[in-house]
Amino acid sequence: MQEQHLYEYAIIRVVPRVEREEFINVGVVICHWKRNFLACKIHLNTQKLLMLDPHADVEMIALNLASFEKICTGSEAGGNIASMDLASRFRWLTAVRSSIIQTSRPHSGTAEDLEKTLECLFEENVG
């Protein structure tokens, strides 16, 4: 039997008109400190986005989501935040903010396979 891992995750959201507080789920970010695991899966459904806001800047939102992913993976292209340690990057990515890209509050769970769990969370919340 494999070991169960305690992880944290948050749902990544796009809020095209922040004042209306309407959003679509576009991804999941998951973190396990002890295994040095931080990953995300993102997919922007532009049709859903444009239903919420027909004037949404899809290109700008896609660029911001790409930056989110670069920070998550620790890519040099992610700037100073991407060079922070794993815990700090997860906390920065999931911090409460009033912007077009937001996350849910972090939740926790246990799993044997973190990659598979990321896929399942993505399908359940974004798919």
Side-chain angles (χ1 to χ4, degrees), residues 55-68:
H55 305 290
D57 187 342
V58 176
E59 187 176 322
M60 184 272 305
I61 292 169
L63 286 171
N64 283 314
L65 288 170
S67 293
F68 188 103

Side-chain angles (χ1 to χ4, degrees), residues 51-127:
M51 287 174 66
L52 282 182
D53 183 3
H55 305 290
D57 187 342
V58 176
E59 187 176 322
M60 184 272 305
I61 292 169
L63 286 171
N64 283 314
L65 288 170
S67 293
F68 188 103
E69 191 168 24
K70 289 173 187 172
I71 292 167
C72 180
T73 62
S75 167
E76 285 186 24
N80 291 335
I81 297 164
S83 68
M84 297 165 75
D85 64 81
L86 182 131
S88 297
R89 289 196 324 264
F90 182 75
R91 292 292 171 230
W92 188 89
L93 289 168
T94 60
V96 176
R97 58 180 54 91
S98 178
S99 65
I100 291 175
I101 309 299
Q102 299 181 13
T103 63
S104 67
R105 291 183 177 225
H107 307 284
S108 60
T110 59
E112 292 177 359
D113 184 335
L114 296 167
E115 290 284 347
K116 185 176 178 181
T117 300
L118 174 61
E119 291 296 325
C120 289
L121 289 168
F122 182 84
E123 286 305 315
E124 290 172 6
N125 294 284
V126 180

